[in-house]
Amino acid sequence: MTEKIIETKVNVYKFDELSAAHQQLIEKAKEQVNKAYAPYSGFHVGAAVLLSNGQIFAGSNQENSAYPSGLCAERVAMFYANAQYPDVPVEALAITAYTNGGFLSDPVTPCGSCRQVLLETETRFDKDITVLLHGTEKTYELTNVKQLLPLCFEKSSLNR
Ligand code: THU
């Protein structure tokens, strides 16, 4: 038996240490929590996607009385951006969450299904996506989606 350790690199920032572009993307995500439809969880998530043409598309979680029929904010924003600009790569994605009267102080972390969808966009355009997981105390920056999904199943996994 051999042991394989898989590491994830996370850059941890205070908000005011982030670039102006990343601060702006996070602000767009924060605006979106007001538009979330989250009557079941009370967990309001906002996401914003920056395309390489400079356009920003934002989304929020959309819940449903049949719970699995709802969709997370990241997927709403990403599918929205990809549907509008199917040929334009994604540069960056910011995610934030508001619950119990305040934004989360620790970074919000995406669910497994969202990680898989984000990975598809990254591989589709063959371009790393910067992922910004925002909390009021600290923001995690991952330089690509693969950092979030080790041992992933992707397009190339089908050609073996
Ligand atoms: N949710 C998101 O929108 N994004 C995440 O990263 C985590 C979870 C949503 C799904 C559901 O509407 C609510 O938060 C509680 O899980």
Side-chain angles (χ1 to χ4, degrees):
M1 193 275 271
T2 57
E3 195 175 63
K4 182 177 156 88
I5 308 275
I6 300 173
E7 292 183 328
T8 293
K9 185 169 87 102
V10 181
N11 298 320
V12 184
Y13 288 93
K14 295 270 182 210
F15 186 74
D16 56 15
E17 293 174 333
L18 292 160
S19 69
H22 285 174
Q23 288 188 13
Q24 188 201 4
L25 198 62
I26 289 168
E27 292 298 354
K28 290 277 181 205
K30 288 179 87 170
E31 284 169 21
Q32 282 297 307
V33 302
N34 301 317
K35 297 180 181 161
Y37 177 63
Y40 303 105
S41 70
F43 196 74
H44 297 240
V45 185
V49 169
L50 172 65
L51 297 183
S52 62
N53 65 8
Q55 295 223 42
I56 292 176
F57 288 88
S60 56
N61 52 331
Q62 301 295 317
E63 296 187 347
N64 194 285
S65 55
Y67 293 178
S69 300
L71 202 62
C72 294
E74 304 86 307
R75 273 180 284 169
V76 170
M78 190 59 86
F79 286 149
Y80 181 25
N82 292 161
Q84 300 309 308
Y85 285 93
D87 299 321
V88 180
V90 171
E91 289 279 340
L93 164 79
I95 314 167
T96 189
Y98 183 99
T99 191
N100 297 322
F103 284 97
L104 296 194
S105 55
D106 280 330
V108 58
T109 46
C111 78
S113 298
C114 284
R115 292 175 199 220
Q116 187 69 32
V117 165
L118 304 180
L119 177 71
E120 188 70 28
T121 302
E122 185 165 274
T123 50
R124 166 181 177 172
F125 295 112
D126 194 20
K127 179 166 179 24
D128 283 358
I129 299 173
T130 301
V131 181
L132 299 162
L133 306 177
H134 181 66
T136 54
E137 293 294 315
K138 52 181 177 278
T139 295
Y140 288 166
E141 179 200 61
L142 297 106
T143 53
N144 58 56
V145 175
K146 280 206 172 142
Q147 297 290 325
L148 277 175
L149 202 57
L151 303 177
C152 61
F153 189 87
E154 57 175 328
K155 197 160 58 175
S156 64
S157 313
L158 291 167
N159 308 320
R160 284 195 279 215

